[in-house]
Amino acid sequence: MEQNYGRDTSCIQGGWKPKNGEPRVLPIYQSTTFKYENSDYMGKLFDLEAEGYFYSRLANPTCDAVAAKIAALEGGIAGMLTSSGQAANFLALTNICSAGDHIVSSATIYGGTSNLLTVTMKKQGIDVTLVDPDASEEELEKAFRPNTKAVFGETIANPALVVLDLEKFARLAHRHGVPFIVDNTFATPINCRPFEWGADIVTHSTTKYMEGHASTIGGCIVDSGNFDWMAHAEKFPGMCTPDESYHGIVYAEKFGKMGYIQKATAQLMRDLGTCQSPMNAFLLNLGLESLHLRMPRHCENAQKVAEYLQSCEDVAWVEYPGLPGDKYYEVAQKYMPGGSCGVLSFGLKGGRDMAVRFMDNLKMVAIVTHVADARTCVLHPASHTHRQLNDEQLVEAGVRPDLIRFSVGIEDVKDIIADVEQALAAAKA
């Protein structure tokens, strides 16, 4: 069990505890396999009767150390790294959902996740109902079915910046005997810990703020250990009945609170292989060591850029949860009073054409598909990440057709604002 350090110490010291004579820095265990002296012990590993490593697709010491650090930061009991944030969300849901099941999800989520739910998983026989996150509990109740197995949402929606009312969604999920799964990528555990507000499972695209330098792709799943699977055994046969593909193990019985992550590892990672490489986990760990320092700077810079944009006559609207008067200001103050994230969105009075001219005239700020790293970057979701959606679908996903997603980095904020200023001037010329 991870030692109960404070948040800032966990960023630096969590996960890896070197013994006498071992490396001070987390090593990269760049090996596919691990040697044992006798066959019996190897057999016990495959039976999940002993602890250890035998193949890096299932578990690797570097990856496990970083997963333990993230679990500690979130206040969870166990974590598992994945190859990407998409893989984390897919495994988090399919660990408890199969053909014939149903998911209730906030409609305002990342476009790739929306596609995963409404296209790919639908083809696999898992249905989803997308709901307005701002709807009343009475309205949201109507989305639930007898075969609903999970509720899903994002702490701060990418790129709509809708701040989810975590307690409301947790109440609804638990009222129907299902877990509440939250993608906490934008807020990170520095600004919000969803478990403290009733969430059961948290996912991350570690590609974003956690790694923080746009060098590696990865994801993570963290379990709070709070959801009682056996109390709802009829809903979750995968957790509560024998797994014939793994010696008839009943995960919720054999592993108790650790059952969810054990199943995700022994069953899904075994079969799907969406594991994170040890090298990527090592780089992710370096990013985590400064996460508690970077996030306040991201939020401070974003606040100043948002206030500047509000003062510009060419800007039609600005959305940022840190702005008094923003639709989500109050809920953001409740769930993340220390700051939300470094991403803001805005539109220009000239619409799409003006947005393109503005972005093409930026000099320091780069147009990239990425978001949430040390460098300031910009994207037009309707033309890029969400281009598979028509205008009606964009609005449903909380993405206006003229929305510019602006990810504020940790550079000198005066330089960021100066680049925005000259690009706006050039776009009008």
Side-chain angles (χ1 to χ4, degrees), residues 352-399:
R352 282 196 186 204
D353 291 342
M354 179 73 164
V356 170
R357 293 197 301 274
F358 163 74
M359 291 192 296
D360 287 350
N361 278 287
L362 289 164
K363 295 178 179 178
M364 183 187 79
V365 178
I367 302 172
V368 299
T369 312
H370 200 240
V371 66
D373 69 64
R375 303 164 192 84
T376 301
C377 55
V378 67
L379 190 76
H380 182 231
S383 301
H384 305 135
T385 54
H386 289 61
R387 68 179 295 121
Q388 74 275 12
L389 305 180
N390 60 38
D391 280 2
E392 183 179 333
Q393 291 170 322
L394 284 169
V395 172
E396 184 179 281
V399 181

Side-chain angles (χ1 to χ4, degrees), residues 135-157:
S136 67
E137 288 193 41
E138 291 73 23
E139 282 298 310
L140 293 170
E141 281 279 358
K142 299 174 184 177
F144 286 83
R145 305 175 186 172
N147 61 336
T148 299
K149 298 299 175 68
V151 174
F152 179 83
E154 295 176 356
T155 316
I156 306 172

Side-chain angles (χ1 to χ4, degrees), residues 31-65:
S31 179
T32 62
T33 192
F34 302 83
K35 174 187 178 293
Y36 289 91
E37 296 294 337
N38 61 73
S39 177
D40 286 344
Y41 195 85
M42 179 70 83
K44 289 179 180 177
L45 291 172
F46 275 93
D47 285 341
L48 303 181
E49 297 290 346
E51 293 186 4
Y53 299 92
F54 50 92
Y55 199 58
S56 279
R57 184 178 80 239
L58 289 162
N60 174 280
T62 306
C63 295
D64 280 3

Side-chain angles (χ1 to χ4, degrees), residues 192-374:
C192 183
R193 302 214 304 180
F195 294 154
E196 296 174 356
W197 301 100
D200 300 292
I201 296 153
V202 159
T203 62
H204 285 278
S205 171
T206 61
T207 315
K208 311 302 191 299
Y209 288 121
M210 281 190 162
E211 191 276 328
H213 301 86
S215 63
T216 65
I217 289 174
C220 187
I221 305 169
V222 179
D223 184 17
S224 68
N226 292 333
F227 192 82
D228 189 344
W229 302 103
M230 294 303 294
H232 307 282
E234 74 287 350
K235 281 184 174 287
F236 303 104
M239 289 290 299
C240 304
T241 60
D243 177 5
E244 300 305 332
S245 77
Y246 220 117
H247 318 299
I249 283 173
V250 178
Y251 293 100
E253 285 184 351
K254 183 175 180 62
F255 301 106
K257 289 180 178 293
M258 302 292 287
Y260 177 86
I261 292 294
Q262 284 282 1
K263 179 179 182 292
T265 303
Q267 190 183 84
L268 296 186
M269 194 63 80
R270 174 197 67 191
D271 293 347
L272 299 175
T274 53
C275 55
Q276 189 166 145
S277 75
M279 184 67 197
N280 279 10
F282 174 82
L283 293 172
L284 166 59
N285 189 57
L286 293 181
L288 287 169
E289 289 182 354
S290 64
L291 183 64
H292 62 299
L293 301 175
R294 290 184 286 106
M295 287 308 294
R297 179 60 176 262
H298 279 293
C299 294
E300 177 188 340
N301 279 0
Q303 185 73 26
K304 291 177 180 176
V305 172
E307 290 170 357
Y308 166 76
L309 288 168
Q310 271 193 324
S311 71
C312 293
E313 62 178 20
D314 298 311
V315 175
W317 55 270
V318 183
E319 290 181 348
Y320 183 64
L323 290 173
D326 184 89
K327 182 178 180 181
Y328 296 100
Y329 178 78
E330 295 299 332
V331 71
Q333 289 297 303
K334 174 181 176 178
Y335 292 120
M336 47 200 84
S340 54
C341 66
V343 181
L344 56 88
S345 60
F346 65 98
L348 300 177
K349 291 178 179 176
R352 282 196 186 204
D353 291 342
M354 179 73 164
V356 170
R357 293 197 301 274
F358 163 74
M359 291 192 296
D360 287 350
N361 278 287
L362 289 164
K363 295 178 179 178
M364 183 187 79
V365 178
I367 302 172
V368 299
T369 312
H370 200 240
V371 66
D373 69 64

